[in-house]
Amino acid sequence: MTIAAEPLVSIIVPVYNVTSYIDACLASIKQQTYKNIEIIVVEDCSTDDSKQALTPHLTDKRIKVIQHNENSGLSAARNTGIKSAIGEYMMFVDSDDIVDIRLVAACVDCALTTNAEVVTYGFVPFKEGVAETELPYPAASLAFDAARIDDSYFSLPHFAWLKFIRSSVVRSASLHFPVGLYYEDWPFHWHLGLSAKVRYQLPIDFYLYRQRGTSITGSTDKKLLDLFVIHSEVINLVESYQADKVKKILANKVRQSHWSILTRIDNEYLAMALAQAKKADKTLRLKGYESDLTLRHLMISNIVRMPSQVALSMLQVLRQALDKRARMKG
């Protein structure tokens, strides 16, 4: 790859209370085999020693630290990074995760040879506390072919950190993350896919995702209610783009979310979740969103459409049965 063909890549890293992880994260980014990068660290008013932990890394002139004046959350930190990015391409790395040092090079090569506006790649989780020598890096040999993906993009995981993006797409579509809500990757994923016309996928698990006990993905509390707001935003996006071909994919994801929410959420929020699921179910039917007729989809849809008291009773029976099965397996 010649110097002229080495576009600048902006890597956005939000930081909040990650003292134990930030060194490994930044090391994996700084050691990228592709060198023309800017590393935008957005420090979101950590209450631990994260800010101090950044100091040794500042000798690398590619790192720029932006300090928030008050804690504003992951979405706001990412939005700050987007506004500051000057690279032709951009990507996100969460500050407790690790990336393979060949990730950026592979993405740039794919983007330049295919004219891709979005390049996606895989991830592999690893347990907190795993030794450096046991991390699940990809094999040393990276012989693979990038594959163009059509609407199957929308079936991919929503995570923002699985996308390498041409910055002009982000600017022209005014892509951003919703502030004040959890599960913020949903609308970004869908809006990006609806805006980008050329999408490619690399069949390599370049991203190492740290599984922490505090992860939002394992939440059972009130945070789960944000999903109903997020789903509504995504439905509005699909409607505004008149993207009828992806309605079924979205319906399947929403139905699966309803199952997850209604079988996992803390009991004190179950009635609230049911009420929101009823509204969402009505919206899906009115707008013509049909999902696959899987057992889970049928079960949860039928329960949601029952009178509220009956539905709550049925949900309690279902939750107890699932809990019993989980305990037997455990």
Side-chain angles (χ1 to χ4, degrees):
M1 192 179 296
T2 65
I3 296 295
E6 292 186 353
L8 180 65
V9 176
S10 300
I11 304 176
I12 299 167
V13 185
V15 167
Y16 180 72
N17 287 1
V18 285
T19 302
S20 301
Y21 315 114
I22 191 61
D23 282 340
C25 176
L26 288 180
S28 72
I29 299 173
K30 288 159 56 180
Q31 293 170 24
Q32 290 294 305
T33 59
Y34 186 87
K35 302 302 182 184
N36 193 22
I37 60 177
E38 64 164 356
I39 306 167
I40 303 173
V41 175
V42 183
E43 210 295 306
D44 196 32
C45 299
S46 297
T47 57
D48 65 357
D49 293 328
S50 293
K51 188 175 180 179
Q52 292 85 337
L54 295 173
T55 302
H57 297 278
L58 300 185
T59 55
D60 190 321
K61 300 305 181 184
R62 298 173 300 175
I63 294 181
K64 176 171 69 173
V65 177
I66 301 175
Q67 179 65 56
H68 272 178
N69 293 324
E70 60 182 21
N71 176 249
S72 304
L74 178 59
S75 287
R78 285 176 174 169
N79 291 340
T80 295
I82 289 173
K83 291 176 183 176
S84 177
I86 61 173
E88 187 174 339
Y89 296 92
M90 69 173 66
M91 60 195 300
F92 303 91
V93 177
D94 281 1
S95 50
D96 52 353
D97 296 334
I98 297 171
V99 291
D100 187 276
I101 62 173
R102 300 161 290 181
L103 169 59
V104 178
C107 289
V108 169
D109 182 64
C110 178
L112 293 181
T113 56
T114 66
N115 201 34
E117 295 172 302
V118 177
V119 179
T120 67
Y121 37 89
F123 76 99
V124 59
F126 68 95
K127 297 287 187 182
E128 186 165 11
V130 167
E132 174 73 25
T133 55
E134 298 175 337
L135 288 172
Y137 287 107
S141 174
L142 285 184
F144 64 88
D145 292 320
R148 185 160 183 169
I149 51 175
D150 48 23
D151 290 341
S152 60
Y153 162 89
F154 297 98
S155 297
L156 296 174
H158 292 132
F159 304 121
W161 35 259
L162 291 180
K163 282 94 172 166
F164 180 87
I165 312 162
R166 186 181 295 171
S167 298
S168 59
V169 175
V170 176
R171 311 291 184 208
S172 61
S174 299
L175 294 182
H176 63 282
F177 294 87
V179 176
L181 292 170
Y182 292 97
Y183 308 99
E184 61 285 315
D185 287 0
W186 270 72
F188 188 88
H189 171 85
W190 283 83
H191 200 174
L192 175 61
L194 292 166
S195 304
K197 305 306 179 187
V198 185
R199 303 177 292 251
Y200 273 77
Q201 185 172 27
L202 304 178
I204 304 290
D205 294 333
F206 280 115
Y207 195 98
L208 279 59
Y209 168 69
R210 189 188 303 270
Q211 292 183 310
R212 296 169 60 190
T214 57
S215 172
I216 184 66
T217 55
S219 177
T220 61
D221 61 16
K222 196 175 181 179
K223 298 183 186 72
L224 281 170
L225 296 176
D226 278 3
L227 272 168
F228 294 109
V229 181
I230 290 294
H231 293 161
S232 180
E233 286 196 14
V234 176
I235 289 172
N236 288 338
L237 279 169
V238 170
E239 293 295 310
S240 67
Y241 276 83
Q242 298 181 335
D244 292 345
K245 291 182 179 179
V246 302
K247 278 187 172 182
K248 191 167 190 176
I249 297 174
L250 178 54
N252 285 335
K253 287 202 169 190
V254 170
R255 294 292 186 200
Q256 183 56 42
S257 282
H258 286 181
W259 173 276
S260 181
I261 296 166
L262 294 174
T263 58
R264 288 173 47 218
I265 198 166
D266 293 340
N267 203 57
E268 61 184 300
Y269 304 114
L270 183 58
M272 295 172 62
L274 175 61
Q276 292 299 315
K278 283 180 171 292
K279 291 179 182 178
D281 176 72
K282 184 177 180 179
T283 297
L284 289 174
R285 285 185 287 159
L286 287 174
K287 293 184 179 293
Y289 287 74
E290 297 181 357
S291 60
D292 290 327
L293 299 179
T294 66
L295 179 59
R296 281 189 175 188
H297 292 172
L298 288 170
M299 284 180 65
I300 210 65
S301 296
N302 287 333
I303 292 175
V304 164
R305 293 168 193 173
M306 293 176 180
S308 295
Q309 290 305 313
V310 178
L312 282 171
S313 297
M314 292 297 294
L315 284 171
Q316 293 292 6
V317 172
L318 175 61
R319 286 155 65 97
Q320 290 168 10
L322 292 173
D323 182 61
K324 182 178 179 181
R325 186 174 70 174
R327 282 187 278 108
M328 290 177 65
K329 286 184 176 181

